[in-house]
Amino acid sequence: MTLFTPMLRASPLSEIFSDDNTLRGMLDFEAALALACAKCGVIPESAITVISAQCQADKLDPQALAQAAAGAGNLAIPLVKQLTANVKRQDEQAARYVHWGATSQDVIDTGLVLQLREAFLVSEVLIEQLIRALTEQIQHHQHSVMAGRTWMQHALPITFGLKLAGTLDALLRWQQRLREIKPRVLVLQFGGAAGTLASLKEQGITVAQALANALHLHQADTPWHSQRDRLLETAAWFAGVASTLGKFASDFSLLMQTEVAEVGEPIAEGRGGSSTMPHKRNPVSCAAILTANTRIPGLMATMYASQNQQHERALGGWQAEWEVLPQLITLAGGVMQTSLELLNGMQVNTVKMRANLDITHGLIMAESVTLALAEFMGKQPAHHLVEQLCHRALDENQPLAALLAENPQVTPYLSLTQIEHLLDPQHALGSNDAFIRQVLARAAQQTRRVT
């Protein structure tokens, strides 16, 4: 429904899979097919101009196509009929050569591949923008100390930069995967009725190569009418990117809870409000991202189920892809666009991040004290001692530092200054900064390779 498009699919990818662009892709195939056949001497060259001139979406009746497709079984059959009729009105002889040598699935699949090529180009831009936005935020927050959380509980200190670096690290891998899959996916579909191009006789391979050249696509070694791994791989890429950004949105929404309040979504008039509670500031961007991620796995399951395609041309599996793949891609596009806006405008409360580290009275730093004491009394005795003091700190609502400083088993080995140093989260970040540097270096390297 178009009412929900701005909320869930607001990205340039949505327009790529509009009805007009779907028809345009199929008509581009028909125009290129006429050109290829003429170049190979299969049809008269005089037919090229007339057929190509009629391969315009605005010269078709979309509503009539949709109605006729219900009875025909696919959209290509009524499209070819309308196109042929339009050509015939201009040149009856040329109309004989419309759709020469092809089958309906060749038109639909290649038209889809042409849409996927545009979708990949747009996605490359979105991924680059996401990487750039993440890089800037990581550089800004590489020293913003916060609580690392495991099992939804405080674990050890990290920086907000490192949390963002995990997302960047994954997106860099998705960027690489996109470059790898494009040559495998952007492949012509052209096999004729049963995948042999029998109607073109000995000219089949020659016409196929000319057609691939005309459309700037790779030529397949065999027609892939019922081998759908290319589309499955495409779906998996978009689903994977969406899931990476879904994890980011999930974490962000948890950090945005009132009790945590470490981050916030971009501020704008009317954004994130409630119809009844004027104080609310809801994570609406996160909601849109997570909504898409709730739907995408079901669509992905359909793409997997559609791999079971019978013999040389399928019944059911192929048809299931027609709506599912564009839905999945446009939802993923919405996730990418919304995530980009969230990254560019997010609010980060570093003061609250540091304050939240202190709500357990220093317990988040207990491991560093344990390791320091282990050098003198062994790891197990040190762990047992610090664990007891942690329980006391919670039960008595006292700072761990005070209990450590007055404990006779601790004071022979650690001074108050040493204890305070060990309990400072800034001094317990381990390889945090090194990990950030590594990811940023790879991002810079991949960016240079792109440009």
Side-chain angles (χ1 to χ4, degrees):
M1 292 179 63
T2 55
L3 285 174
F4 296 108
T5 296
M7 184 188 304
L8 300 176
R9 291 190 171 90
S11 87
L13 287 168
S14 292
E15 181 58 29
I16 291 171
F17 293 95
S18 67
D19 289 346
D20 282 348
N21 279 329
T22 297
L23 295 177
R24 189 188 72 183
M26 296 167 68
L27 291 169
D28 285 348
F29 171 88
E30 292 292 352
L33 176 62
L35 176 64
C37 285
K39 279 190 172 181
C40 296
V42 175
I43 69 173
E45 288 193 9
S46 58
I48 298 174
T49 303
V50 183
I51 294 174
S52 297
Q54 297 304 313
C55 287
Q56 306 293 327
D58 59 4
K59 295 187 177 184
L60 298 178
D61 182 345
Q63 189 170 1
L65 286 177
Q67 292 296 324
N74 68 61
L75 189 59
I77 292 173
L79 180 141
V80 171
K81 285 184 178 180
Q82 278 198 28
L83 175 60
T84 303
N86 291 344
V87 173
K88 189 174 183 179
R89 280 193 288 270
Q90 303 299 317
D91 186 330
E92 189 168 340
Q93 185 71 12
R96 297 172 54 190
Y97 302 107
V98 173
H99 194 63
W100 194 270
T103 192
S104 299
Q105 190 164 355
D106 295 335
V107 186
I108 293 172
D109 281 352
T110 301
L112 175 61
V113 169
L114 296 177
Q115 289 175 290
L116 292 179
R117 180 165 63 192
E118 290 187 63
F120 286 158
L121 289 172
V122 169
S123 298
E124 283 178 324
V125 173
L126 283 171
I127 287 288
E128 289 169 15
Q129 291 174 332
L130 284 163
I131 288 171
R132 191 178 307 118
L134 275 165
T135 297
E136 291 175 1
Q137 293 287 8
I138 291 166
Q139 290 170 336
H140 187 65
H141 291 291
Q142 58 186 327
H143 302 303
S144 298
V145 182
M146 65 182 297
R149 295 169 171 91
T150 62
W151 287 46
M152 305 289 283
Q153 307 292 311
H154 278 205
L156 292 173
I158 64 169
T159 67
F160 189 51
L162 181 63
K163 182 178 283 288
L164 296 175
T167 303
L168 175 59
D169 193 24
L171 287 181
L172 289 169
R173 291 191 294 276
W174 287 120
Q175 185 184 53
Q176 287 180 309
R177 292 184 186 108
L178 180 55
R179 295 168 185 165
E180 292 164 1
I181 70 173
K182 284 172 65 178
R184 291 194 293 270
V185 172
L186 300 181
V187 173
L188 173 71
Q189 173 74 286
F190 189 50
T196 63
L197 290 177
S199 61
L200 292 173
K201 300 182 175 60
E202 69 279 358
Q203 290 282 72
I205 297 299
T206 305
V207 173
Q209 186 60 65
L211 179 54
N213 292 343
L215 293 170
H216 305 288
L217 295 174
H218 299 285
Q219 186 177 1
D221 291 332
T222 64
W224 45 278
H225 290 141
S226 56
Q227 299 292 343
R228 314 303 284 179
D229 58 290
R230 291 180 174 92
L231 300 188
L232 180 65
E233 186 174 21
T234 298
W237 186 87
F238 282 100
V241 171
S243 66
T244 291
L245 295 170
K247 183 265 192 290
F248 164 72
S250 179
D251 285 353
F252 197 95
S253 64
L254 292 172
L255 294 177
M256 196 173 164
Q257 291 181 105
T258 304
E259 297 84 354
V260 182
E262 294 180 358
V263 299
E265 290 198 357
I267 300 173
E269 181 67 28
R271 182 186 179 90
S274 166
S275 62
T276 58
M277 295 171 285
H279 67 280
K280 291 296 292 294
R281 186 178 167 198
N282 294 318
V284 292
S285 292
C286 293
I289 294 167
L290 294 173
T291 297
N293 272 280
T294 300
R295 293 184 58 193
I296 285 173
L299 298 172
M300 195 67 210
T302 301
M303 292 301 298
Y304 272 107
S306 296
Q307 294 299 294
N308 183 14
Q309 302 212 4
Q310 306 84 8
H311 299 307
E312 281 62 56
R313 300 278 300 284
L315 177 68
W318 172 51
Q319 292 82 354
E321 299 165 351
W322 296 344
E323 286 188 312
V324 168
L325 185 56
Q327 285 176 5
L328 191 157
I329 292 173
T330 53
L331 283 170
V335 167
M336 287 189 277
Q337 185 67 49
T338 304
S339 298
L340 180 61
E341 293 165 5
L342 177 56
L343 281 166
N344 283 329
M346 67 181 181
Q347 310 294 303
V348 182
N349 189 340
T350 56
V351 174
K352 193 62 172 15
M353 285 179 173
R354 186 56 189 253
N356 284 342
L357 282 169
D358 298 329
I359 62 175
T360 57
H361 305 294
L363 298 192
I364 195 171
M365 297 303 303
E367 184 188 49
S368 63
V369 178
T370 300
L371 294 175
L373 288 172
E375 296 182 15
F376 303 102
M377 62 179 68
K379 186 172 182 181
Q380 286 305 315
H383 179 87
H384 181 68
L385 172 60
V386 175
E387 185 178 41
Q388 286 182 318
L389 293 175
C390 286
H391 291 162
R392 276 190 60 195
L394 290 172
D395 293 341
E396 301 172 12
N397 196 28
Q398 291 194 60
L400 180 60
L403 296 179
L404 288 166
E406 66 184 26
N407 187 278
Q409 293 179 268
V410 175
T411 51
Y413 308 115
L414 299 176
S415 67
L416 178 59
T417 301
Q418 289 173 310
I419 291 170
E420 289 175 345
H421 180 86
L422 289 168
L423 293 178
D424 185 348
Q426 195 71 50
H427 299 141
L429 294 172
S431 299
N432 182 102
D433 292 350
F435 289 139
I436 290 175
R437 286 195 298 271
Q438 288 176 171
V439 174
L440 290 178
R442 189 155 63 86
Q445 183 182 36
Q446 285 192 198
T447 302
R448 285 195 298 271
R449 193 157 60 240
V450 169
T451 56

